[in-house]
Amino acid sequence: MNPNISTSMFHSRARCAFFAGSLAFALAAGIGTASARTPNEALVRYQSVAGPSVKFLPFWQLEEWEAVDDEHLVVWTNRREAWLLEVWPNCNGLITSPTIALTSSVHRVYANLDKVLLEHHEVCRIQDIRPIDVAALKRAREAEKSAQASSGT
């Protein structure tokens, strides 16, 4: 096994217990609700709470991820840290892949060096990494829910 490839791939059978906890967190935080809005709305939301580009993100494990479109995904490295990743164009299958892995070097994922590995051997090079303000993301989701509740939708 290549030591530069994270073993934090999602396999539903291998990580049932982990997913139960992650699912509870995801439901509480509203993660995975992109189906309720268009991918462009999700991307705009994530970009609005993302900081400036960084050279790398610290990486020990992949706790959660969401493909926003074929060039953007959000990865949670723990409950309080999320990152908006942009991959180079022509990353076929990011939206439909049930599993991903991230390459890394010494527990760091670097822009323009590391890759997102998809289930069917597709490799997507990471072009940009931006930290997400998770607290601001949560506030934005709560504000959206309040607005929907008051409008009756």
Side-chain angles (χ1 to χ4, degrees):
M1 177 178 232
N2 184 340
N4 290 331
I5 298 177
S6 166
T7 57
S8 297
M9 292 186 73
F10 286 144
H11 296 284
S12 59
R13 290 183 185 170
R15 299 226 177 171
C16 288
F18 172 77
F19 286 123
S22 293
L23 181 59
F25 168 71
L27 293 173
I31 297 168
T33 58
S35 60
R37 58 189 184 276
T38 66
N40 286 338
E41 289 172 342
L43 180 58
V44 168
R45 172 181 285 149
Y46 286 125
Q47 288 174 331
S48 73
V49 295
S53 296
V54 296
K55 292 181 181 181
F56 67 89
L57 67 92
F59 184 68
W60 294 91
Q61 72 179 16
L62 181 62
E63 191 164 306
E64 182 71 50
W65 66 281
E66 177 185 344
V68 180
D69 60 24
D70 276 334
E71 293 181 11
H72 298 89
L73 73 151
V74 176
V75 296
W76 281 264
T77 53
N78 64 53
R79 292 177 48 173
R80 294 179 192 94
E81 282 189 329
W83 307 85
L84 177 61
L85 306 183
E86 181 178 354
V87 296
W88 289 95
N90 300 321
C91 180
N92 298 319
L94 182 60
I95 284 286
T96 58
S97 182
T99 61
I100 68 165
L102 300 175
T103 61
S104 62
S105 303
V106 193
H107 298 289
R108 291 181 176 179
V109 174
Y110 288 90
N112 296 310
L113 174 67
D114 284 305
K115 302 166 191 83
V116 178
L117 307 176
L118 307 180
E119 183 180 59
H120 298 290
H121 307 292
E122 182 74 28
V123 177
C124 305
R125 186 175 299 274
I126 298 169
Q127 178 178 347
D128 190 44
I129 300 171
R130 296 174 60 193
I132 291 177
D133 182 339
V134 176
L137 178 63
K138 185 177 179 181
R139 287 190 303 272
R141 286 180 172 157
E142 289 170 355
E144 182 180 281
K145 286 179 186 178
S146 294
Q148 287 176 349
S150 65
S151 69
T153 57

